Amino acid sequence: MASRLEGKSAIITGAGSGIGRATALLFARHGARLVIGDKAESVHETAKMIREDGGTVNALQMNAGREDDVAKMVEAARGSYGGIDIAYANAGISGGLPGIFDQSMDDWQQILQVNLIGPFLIIKHAGQEIMKRASGSIICTASVAGLRSGAGGPAYSASKAGVINLVQTAAQQLSGTGVRVNAICPGLIETGMTERAFEYAREKGVEEKIGRLNPLHRAGQPEEIAHVALFLASDESSYVNGQAIVVDGGLSSSHPVTRQETGKTAA
C-alpha cells in the first residue's frame, strides 16, 4: 500500500472512537505521525491500536472546546515531530433531538463550544503552525445537518452550519499561505453518537430500515469518512480548498419526495 502521508505529522481530535479512531488508524497506516486527543479514556486504546500496527502516536485526554487543551496538542506535535502538516478537528457532540423550545442556553453553549469553537481553535492554533510549512491541510467534521433541517437537533444543526461557513472563511483568511481548509459533511454514520438509534432499531427488528432514505439504502461506516479525510489530508487534494464535501449515500441530493413505484411517473 502506498504511503500517502509519509513524513507528515497530524493532530486529530475526537480520536477515541468512531470517525476519529478510524481516521487515526488510516492516517498512521499511510505514514503519518500522530497526536490524537479525546475527552474519553478510549483515546489511549486508539493509540495502542496504532502502535500495535507499527505507527507513531502520542495520545492526550483533552477537551476539544478548551483553548489550553488544543494549544497543548499543537505543542505536543511541535515537540515530538517538529511541526504540523495536517489538523483534523473531528470532535463533536450531538445534544440529542429536543425541540427548539426544549433546549436551554447551557445546552446550546456546550454544543457550540465543542462543535464550532473547537474547530475554530484548531484552525487558530494548528493553522499558525502549519503555515510555517507553507503547505498543509486543515479538515473539520461538519454534517448534513448543517446543510438543511431534518438531520439533527437545533443546536447541533446550527453548530455544523457554522463549521461549513468557518472553513470557507478560514480558507480565505489563509489565502496565500498554502494551507487548505475543508469540511466533511457525513450523513448517517454508525458511531458512538448514533449508537442508541442503531441499538433501538436492532431491538425492534427494523435494522434494515436504517439509512433507507438515501439512494444507497444503508448507513455509512466510520472508515468511509476516514478515506475522504485521507484524500483531503494528502497532496492528491492539493487544489481542493474551502469546500464542504458531503458523504451521505446521496441523502442530500434531493428534497423529500413521495417515492414512486418503479415504472410510474409523478403526476
Side-chain angles (χ1 to χ4, degrees), residues 85-262:
D85 300 284
I86 302 152
Y88 186 11
N90 168 70
I93 55 177
S94 72
L97 292 170
I100 199 164
F101 300 115
D102 300 319
Q103 283 187 310
S104 68
M105 190 174 73
D106 287 344
D107 293 333
W108 274 73
Q109 287 178 331
Q110 182 182 19
I111 292 166
L112 291 172
Q113 189 73 36
V114 177
N115 292 3
L116 181 54
I117 295 177
F120 155 69
L121 293 173
I122 287 289
I123 293 170
K124 176 183 176 181
H125 289 278
Q128 294 181 75
E129 195 64 35
I130 298 171
M131 283 170 56
K132 297 175 184 177
R133 302 279 175 98
S135 177
S137 176
I138 299 173
I139 308 159
C140 301
T141 296
S143 171
V144 291
L147 300 174
R148 55 183 64 89
S149 67
Y156 179 82
S157 300
S159 72
K160 295 302 186 177
V163 171
I164 293 169
N165 188 269
L166 175 64
V167 301
Q168 295 168 340
T169 303
Q172 292 294 325
Q173 291 276 303
L174 291 168
S175 178
T177 67
V179 181
R180 299 176 292 107
V181 190
N182 294 285
I184 302 173
C185 298
L188 179 61
I189 309 297
E190 188 171 6
T191 67
M193 188 179 293
T194 59
E195 183 178 12
R196 289 178 62 185
F198 279 83
E199 287 180 349
Y200 179 80
R202 288 172 182 138
E203 289 171 3
K204 296 296 182 181
V206 293
E207 184 179 359
E208 74 282 356
K209 293 186 178 181
I210 295 176
R212 297 293 290 181
L213 290 178
N214 72 59
L216 292 183
H217 290 184
R218 66 173 178 86
Q221 295 300 313
E223 291 76 14
E224 294 178 292
I225 305 301
H227 279 284
V228 178
L230 176 62
F231 168 70
L232 291 174
S234 74
D235 293 337
E236 295 168 13
S237 61
S238 57
Y239 204 51
V240 181
N241 195 21
Q243 302 303 306
I245 298 178
V246 180
V247 189
D248 68 351
L251 176 67
S252 59
S253 64
S254 174
H255 294 293
V257 296
T258 299
R259 300 294 181 190
Q260 302 297 318
E261 294 181 21
T262 303

